[in-house]
């Protein structure tokens, strides 16, 4: 029983620290009116629109008249990543206990212990992902295809763009 508690403590500590150990870079999600949503790095911002490079390296330019919403967040742990990480850590701890000879005597107890640790890891990872997602969200702009509204709001995006970081890399710290 002591080993299970120690494994649970280790899993929670790993999940908690992984969401905060990140280099300060931002990702943007652009919700558009007619095409699929795009996630990537904000490259440039102007009063007419934005340029985004997705995670596959494709470069997009979006005009303000096509943008419904823009969400900026710091790269870090997401809910899905937290679920996967927590499950993997829980499964690893469960398998380690499963193959140890001195914790449980029969197969049923070992299997139950493995399943419990995997479940607890998944729940802990999901909670860590939810907290990480909430803490990492920096800006949400609801443009709703309104070019005038975009022109009033686009300067808020500038500090999250790659061009702003390259121009003054020490200004972006958190």
């Amino acid at each position: 029983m002591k080993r299970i508690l120690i494994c649970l403590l280790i899993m929670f500590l790993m999940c908690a620290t992984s969401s905060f150990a990140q280099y300060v870079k931002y990702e943007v999600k652009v919700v558009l009116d007619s095409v699929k949503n795009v996630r990537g790095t904000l490259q440039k911002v102007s009063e007419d629109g934005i340029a985004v490079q997705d995670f596959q390296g494709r470069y997009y330019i979006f005009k303000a008249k096509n943008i419904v919403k823009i969400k900026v967040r710091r790269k870090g742990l997401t809910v899905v990543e937290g679920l996967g990480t927590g499950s993997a850590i829980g499964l690893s701890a469960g398998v380690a206990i499963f193959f140890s000879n001195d914790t449980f005597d029969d197969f049923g107890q070992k299997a139950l212990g493995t399943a419990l640790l995997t479940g607890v890891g998944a729940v802990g990872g999901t909670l860590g992902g939810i907290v990480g997602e909430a803490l990492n969200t920096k800006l949400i702009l609801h443009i709703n295809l309104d070019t005038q509204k975009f022109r009033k709001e686009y300067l808020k995006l500038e500090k999250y763009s790659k061009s702003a970081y390259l121009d003054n890399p020490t200004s972006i710290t958190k």
Side-chain angles (χ1 to χ4, degrees), residues 100-169:
S100 70
N101 291 329
D102 55 9
T103 305
F104 299 110
D105 292 334
D106 67 3
F107 180 81
Q109 286 182 330
K110 286 183 178 185
L112 180 64
T114 301
L116 284 173
L117 284 173
T118 303
V120 169
V123 169
T126 302
L127 292 175
I130 290 169
V131 170
E133 186 87 25
L135 291 175
N136 289 336
T137 300
K138 295 297 179 186
L139 177 68
I140 299 175
L141 295 178
H142 297 280
I143 304 302
N144 297 323
L145 313 175
D146 186 357
T147 57
Q148 295 302 320
K149 187 171 186 178
F150 182 82
R151 286 193 175 136
K152 290 178 186 174
E153 303 282 337
Y154 82 95
L155 289 175
K156 293 178 183 176
L157 292 169
E158 184 65 36
K159 67 180 179 179
Y160 301 108
S161 70
K162 184 177 179 182
S163 61
Y165 179 76
L166 292 175
D167 291 342
N168 193 3

Side-chain angles (χ1 to χ4, degrees), residues 62-99:
F62 301 113
K63 295 188 177 205
K65 67 181 183 179
N66 301 111
I67 300 172
V68 175
K69 180 172 83 171
I70 301 170
K71 181 179 180 181
V72 179
R73 64 181 296 276
R74 191 177 350 185
K75 289 183 182 178
L77 189 66
T78 64
V79 176
V80 174
E81 291 168 345
L83 174 64
T85 303
S87 297
I89 292 170
L91 182 63
S92 300
V95 167
I97 288 175
F98 186 81
F99 287 111

Side-chain angles (χ1 to χ4, degrees), residues 3-23:
R3 285 187 179 188
I4 292 174
L5 292 175
I6 291 171
C7 288
L8 290 174
L9 180 63
I10 290 170
M11 287 187 321
F12 276 108
L13 290 174
M14 290 178 77
C15 289
T17 57
S18 67
S19 66
F20 299 109
Q22 57 200 2
Y23 181 71

